[in-house]
């Protein structure tokens, strides 16, 4: 007896056997993303094709095509997986911050969480890859920003707005302020490693000192000024 179901994406009817096969294919997705991630980081976007990914993931090329449809879709899935891993390690939602924390405390917590993934999730290697590939495929840089840095900046912008409403900061342009804080933070903790300045990285301040400096400079600019009686 055959069991027929309607496939919601308009692919017609799928038998029970088809459903079992599709479930098996979807179970291969993590292995495919892991294999593709390793290959893209090692060989670049142009150095990888569906055949090499399929071989690395120990799946058929047809399975790869059935799940993703193209190399571009696989690359986007790798980026999404990368940044979702960051989100899993760094909960940046406003409700997770201590309700009575000062602006400096909130910024320091945000900075610590945002930087926690850099050493563990190959962020330096990914950034180098995106910079190199975006020269001839602008969509790669756009996608990297859309699923990664963009949401992080939006989260920080929202938090700065909240601090402003609460009277803990004075900021007329939260989006600009969020970009400025990221710049202060990453200039001494991230970009020197992306640029491979080598031995000079030993002269950089440690991460805690860099975070403290970024917070102090930011609050000096946007902190609430206390009026003193003369």
């Amino acid at each position: 007896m055959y069991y027929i179901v309607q496939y919601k994406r308009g692919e017609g009817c799928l038998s029970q056997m088809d459903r079992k096969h599709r479930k098996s294919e979807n179970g291969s997705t993590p292995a495919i993303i892991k294999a593709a991630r390793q290959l893209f980081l090692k060989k670049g976007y142009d150095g990888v094709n569906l055949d090499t990914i399929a071989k690395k993931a120990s799946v058929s090329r047809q399975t790869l095509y059935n799940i993703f449809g193209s190399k571009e879709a696989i690359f986007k899935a790798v980026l999404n997986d990368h940044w979702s891993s960051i989100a899993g390690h760094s909960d940046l939602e406003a409700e997770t911050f201590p309700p009575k924390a000062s602006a400096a405390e909130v910024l320091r917590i945000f900075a610590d969480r945002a930087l926690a993934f850099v050493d563990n999730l190959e962020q330096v290697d990914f950034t180098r890859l995106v910079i190199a590939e975006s020269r001839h495929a602008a969509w790669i840089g756009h996608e990297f920003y859309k699923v990664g840095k963009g949401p992080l900046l939006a989260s920080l912008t929202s938090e700065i707005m909240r601090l402003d409403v609460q009277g803990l900061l004075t900021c007329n342009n939260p989006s600009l302020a969020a970009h400025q804080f990221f710049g202060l933070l990453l200039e001494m903790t991230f970009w020197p490693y992306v640029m491979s300045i080598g031995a000079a990285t030993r002269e950089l301040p440690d991460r805690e000192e860099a975070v403290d400096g970024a917070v102090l400079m930011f609050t000096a600019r946007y902190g609430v000024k206390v009026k003193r009686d003369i």
Side-chain angles (χ1 to χ4, degrees):
M1 179 176 181
Y2 294 96
Y3 294 89
I4 304 297
V5 297
Q6 187 71 26
Y7 188 50
K8 65 181 180 180
R9 291 187 180 178
E11 294 182 8
C13 295
L14 298 177
S15 69
Q16 188 178 46
M17 183 177 297
D18 289 332
R19 292 176 67 192
K20 185 179 294 185
H21 178 63
R22 190 172 293 278
K23 183 177 180 181
S24 175
E25 287 181 344
N26 290 339
S28 302
T29 300
I32 293 170
I33 291 176
K34 181 179 179 180
R37 176 193 184 99
Q38 294 172 350
L39 289 169
F40 285 132
L41 287 175
K42 183 178 180 180
K43 299 184 177 183
Y45 183 79
D46 287 340
V48 177
N49 57 43
L50 293 182
D51 289 325
T52 56
I53 296 173
K55 182 178 180 180
K56 181 76 172 178
S58 299
V59 300
S60 69
R61 192 181 192 281
Q62 187 61 49
T63 294
L64 202 68
Y65 186 81
N66 288 345
I67 297 174
F68 294 99
S70 68
K71 184 175 75 169
E72 179 177 325
I74 295 174
F75 190 83
K76 289 181 178 180
V78 169
L79 290 183
N80 274 283
D81 180 72
H82 173 72
W83 284 108
S84 66
S85 298
I86 292 171
H89 284 78
S90 305
D91 190 352
L92 301 175
E93 295 300 322
E95 58 266 22
T96 68
F97 290 91
K100 296 184 179 180
S102 67
E105 289 170 334
V106 168
L107 290 168
R108 189 169 284 106
I109 292 170
F110 190 97
D112 289 341
R113 292 175 180 176
L115 291 175
F117 66 85
V118 172
D119 294 330
N120 299 325
L121 293 171
E122 301 172 322
Q123 183 68 5
V124 168
D125 291 337
F126 256 103
T127 302
R128 289 173 180 163
L129 170 64
V130 169
I131 291 172
E133 300 295 345
S134 295
R135 183 170 58 89
H136 54 83
W139 68 265
I140 291 178
H142 174 76
E143 190 71 17
F144 190 71
Y145 184 90
K146 183 179 75 173
V147 302
K149 186 178 179 181
L152 284 176
L153 280 168
S155 178
L156 180 56
T157 298
S158 177
E159 190 63 17
I160 291 171
M161 291 174 63
R162 184 180 70 84
L163 292 168
D164 179 67
V165 170
Q166 292 181 346
L168 299 176
L169 289 176
T170 302
C171 182
N172 295 325
N173 191 336
S175 178
L176 173 62
H179 281 80
Q180 290 171 335
F181 185 72
F182 260 78
L184 290 170
L185 191 61
L186 299 181
E187 178 62 27
M188 300 299 287
T189 60
F190 179 66
W191 286 112
Y193 300 95
V194 174
M195 302 304 294
S196 299
I197 62 175
T201 57
R202 292 195 293 268
E203 301 173 6
L204 296 172
D206 61 35
R207 184 165 295 178
E208 183 176 354
E209 184 180 355
V211 170
D212 286 344
V215 171
L216 285 172
M217 291 186 70
F218 187 89
T219 53
R221 170 63 180 85
Y222 294 108
V224 175
K225 305 298 188 293
V226 178
K227 295 182 179 179
R228 297 181 180 180
D229 296 331
I230 299 177

